[in-house]
Amino acid sequence: MISAYAADNNATRPALADCVDAGGPGVTTDNLAAVNAAIDAATGAEANTVGEIQGIVDNVTDAISLISAYAADNTATTPTLADYAVAGVTGVTTDNLAAVNAAIDAATGADADTVGEIQGIVDGVTDAISLISA
């Protein structure tokens, strides 16, 4: 099922149980959408073994961990546009990346360790920028 979704995004989107059953530890309800987006971006040939699927999952969880680590310690690696995209976070652009990273830095690691929490921080930044720009 996962390989079919990678090959054709019109195929049935993998559910959490599908990812777990395929040997994808690290997939949670919080990061499932980001994992599915990463699977969709892959080709079927890039997601047809347990190792390849785990690699996709690891990329997503690593990106989330990197962002959370920056929130916990601003001497950690600074998140990039690609990190936010791989983590499944939307709304981060080259124009607001510095502001987003400043907001992530102002958070604690525990307040930025899920896609939902990170997305909430980004949404706050984009909302503030929209108000200022209006």
Side-chain angles (χ1 to χ4, degrees), residues 128-134:
I129 290 171
S130 292
L131 288 173
I132 293 167
S133 301

Side-chain angles (χ1 to χ4, degrees), residues 22-122:
V27 181
T28 65
T29 54
D30 182 67
N31 68 16
L32 179 60
V35 169
N36 277 338
I39 290 168
D40 184 33
T43 65
E46 295 170 333
N48 62 1
T49 68
V50 172
E52 290 168 344
I53 294 165
Q54 188 60 56
I56 292 168
V57 172
D58 289 348
N59 287 341
V60 172
T61 58
D62 289 351
I64 295 166
S65 293
L66 183 140
I67 296 165
S68 180
Y70 188 70
D73 177 5
N74 68 358
T75 63
T77 302
T78 304
T80 65
L81 286 172
D83 295 321
Y84 288 104
V86 170
V89 176
T90 60
V92 183
T93 66
T94 54
D95 292 334
N96 68 14
L97 179 62
V100 167
N101 280 339
I104 293 292
D105 179 33
T108 65
D111 291 334
D113 61 357
T114 68
V115 175
E117 291 170 345
I118 297 165
Q119 187 65 62
I121 294 168
V122 170

